[in-house]
Amino acid sequence: ATMYVGDNKGKAVLYAFDIHPRFQEKIMPVRLQGLDPAKNYQIEEINLMPGSKNNHPMHPMMSGNENPKVYSGDYLMKVGLNIFTTMQTSSHIYEITAE
């Protein structure tokens, strides 16, 4: 995974690539860096096929069909998001926007 954050911490983009996941082991959440802990951020997967829904839950307490989702910057930097899957050669691109 790699992420780019704008200078004012108002926008970011997160790229995640599942190249060859090994034995479907539990992968730790990705903790984002460079955000403002006091802001809330809307997270939206933007590389979906036209007409499809997000079926990738980033957090186990939320259903996967909610796109976009909102988290605090503090949560994203301390807890993180479950962005990796066990599907080979899949990718996810998330747009992160401060509210």
Side-chain angles (χ1 to χ4, degrees), residues 1-12:
T2 189
M3 185 171 118
Y4 299 96
V5 180
D7 291 336
N8 66 355
K9 300 181 182 184
K11 274 231 184 245

Side-chain angles (χ1 to χ4, degrees), residues 22-71:
R22 296 187 313 156
F23 306 106
Q24 297 183 1
E25 69 268 27
K26 170 77 171 130
I27 299 176
M28 301 303 288
V30 173
R31 285 184 254 160
L32 309 185
Q33 297 177 359
L35 301 176
D36 184 339
K39 291 182 181 179
N40 286 330
Y41 289 91
Q42 177 177 294
I43 313 268
E44 182 174 13
E45 186 169 3
I46 59 173
N47 68 325
L48 299 172
M49 293 297 291
S52 67
K53 290 185 177 180
N54 176 12
N55 62 359
H56 178 249
M58 291 183 276
H59 187 276
M61 302 303 290
M62 301 183 80
S63 67
N65 290 328
E66 298 173 16
N67 197 23
K69 298 176 183 176
V70 177
Y71 300 94

